[in-house]
Amino acid sequence: MDLQKITDQVIVLVKEVGIYLKGEQHKITSEIIEKKGRNDFVTYVDKTAEQKLVDKLKEILPDAGFIAEEGTEIKKSEIYNWIIDPLDGTTNFIHGLKPYSISIALQKKEEIIIGVVYEVGLDECFTATKNGGAFLNGEKIFVSKTKELSESLIATGFPYYDYSRLPNFMKSLQYFIENTHGVRRFGTAATDLVYVACGRFEAYYEYGLQSWDVAAGTLIVQEAGGKVCDFSGGNNYIFGKEIIVGNSNVFDSFFAKIDGFYNI
Ligand code: 2AM
Ligand code: CA
């Protein structure tokens, strides 16, 4: 299988669907929100974007299955599956904000072998193939070399439905607010991951995520030299709904802090 050729086809596809998303975001007027409501509008856009992706991905790899946010196709195949989120950062999108991304991963058995995250707002396409490195608009990217958490910019997401660990989160947030360069919450996990990959953030953590939010971004960050684990230090970060990511220098101390706040 020619991973680079497939990746190049996916890049063309996400750019096409990105143009669709951008056009739809411009249509969000107070009149539409009044008539349809924000949620109905975005559900329509999400579903349409997903259908466009699925139709083309089926042509690219006819035998692959899909795990997709809007559930257009949930058919899983034995070997190859696409894990896709047609619009990550939905809340940003419907409020007229950036960033928002399309996230596409190709999984072979248990392993992610292609990751593409296209951040539509800034027209930045992040890609990786297994053992082939990570790229931003075709230029090779690497995680930052920052060594200390005190000099790190940390990304996270706020819990939005599972509040059982909100107290742990608040304690961790206070620690990182007081002991790092700062904390950012952009509202799109796929984008947070690739921003670690290209060195804008040193580290990122969040719980309550789905596989389509993180599958592509994790390969991109690993291929850029970063490290990834779940909240117990294990490998269940794609389907396990929790993820810790860092450049290789700060990763161990970042994990130790989160472990201390969550696993008590
Ligand atoms: P989404 O935009 O595809 O919904 C932000 O914390 C991350 O959580 C995003 O990747 C976002 O993906 C996901 N998420 C899912 N449901 C959400 C919600 N109701 N509010 C905020 N983020 C949500
Ligand atoms: Ca998502």
Side-chain angles (χ1 to χ4, degrees):
M1 176 178 279
D2 185 341
L3 293 187
Q4 194 52 53
K5 186 175 163 210
I6 295 174
T7 304
D8 291 342
Q9 290 172 300
V10 174
I11 293 170
V12 172
L13 173 60
V14 291
K15 295 212 165 176
E16 269 171 35
V17 178
I19 290 169
Y20 166 73
L21 289 178
K22 223 175 206 173
E24 292 302 300
Q25 197 189 35
H26 285 136
K27 288 188 200 162
I28 305 178
T29 57
S30 47
E31 198 190 347
I32 282 208
I33 293 164
E34 179 84 0
K35 252 199 250 159
K36 290 190 161 185
R38 286 186 197 268
N39 287 342
D40 281 0
F41 179 73
V42 82
T43 302
Y44 167 78
V45 173
D46 256 332
K47 288 210 156 112
T48 308
E50 185 166 302
Q51 196 58 53
K52 287 175 189 287
L53 294 170
V54 167
D55 288 349
K56 189 73 193 185
L57 292 172
K58 273 183 180 167
E59 282 175 29
I60 295 174
L61 259 190
D63 293 334
F66 288 90
I67 301 168
E69 170 144 35
E70 293 305 315
T72 313
E73 301 274 322
I74 313 219
K75 195 180 58 154
K76 273 197 79 180
S77 127
E78 292 269 302
I79 303 178
Y80 293 106
N81 284 288
W82 296 104
I83 306 179
I84 67 176
D85 188 345
L87 175 51
D88 189 62
T90 316
T91 308
N92 287 349
F93 181 83
I94 54 179
H95 286 267
L97 293 168
K98 301 164 188 169
Y100 58 94
S101 288
I102 299 167
S103 177
I104 312 257
L106 180 63
Q107 191 186 36
K108 181 180 183 187
K109 301 259 173 120
E110 298 308 311
E111 194 175 62
I112 307 296
I113 55 171
I114 292 176
V116 175
V117 172
Y118 179 46
E119 198 288 291
V120 180
L122 288 176
D123 187 26
E124 289 189 322
C125 193
F126 298 83
T127 59
T129 53
K130 186 80 196 168
N131 299 324
F135 299 84
L136 162 52
N137 290 343
E139 302 284 327
K140 208 155 186 340
I141 51 170
F142 301 94
V143 293
S144 84
K145 292 191 169 67
T146 304
K147 288 196 170 58
E148 305 295 335
L149 272 184
S150 59
E151 289 161 19
S152 295
L153 188 61
I154 309 298
T156 189
F158 301 153
Y160 52 87
Y161 71 95
D162 171 7
Y163 299 115
S164 59
R165 289 185 284 175
L166 187 56
N168 310 66
F169 175 73
M170 295 310 288
K171 284 193 192 119
S172 68
L173 192 58
Q174 178 169 0
Y175 178 84
F176 292 128
I177 287 172
E178 290 178 350
N179 292 283
T180 68
H181 254 187
V183 180
R184 296 289 180 271
R185 198 280 191 184
F186 277 175
T188 145
T191 311
D192 290 327
L193 286 163
V194 295
Y195 281 9
V196 176
C198 69
R200 293 173 187 167
F201 296 138
E202 272 65 38
Y204 163 68
Y205 72 116
E206 184 165 356
Y207 76 86
L209 297 171
Q210 301 291 336
S211 59
W212 43 77
D213 300 320
V214 299
T218 51
L219 179 67
I220 297 170
V221 82
Q222 286 166 325
E223 288 294 328
K227 292 190 177 170
V228 186
C229 69
D230 60 32
F231 277 26
S232 309
N235 285 330
N236 191 20
Y237 49 79
I238 293 182
F239 293 95
K241 297 188 180 329
E242 51 185 42
I243 191 163
I244 296 173
V245 177
N247 81 20
S248 51
N249 292 332
V250 301
F251 180 79
D252 288 346
S253 49
F254 187 58
F255 168 71
K257 283 293 161 201
I258 293 166
D259 187 40
F261 289 116
Y262 281 85
N263 301 319
I264 37 174

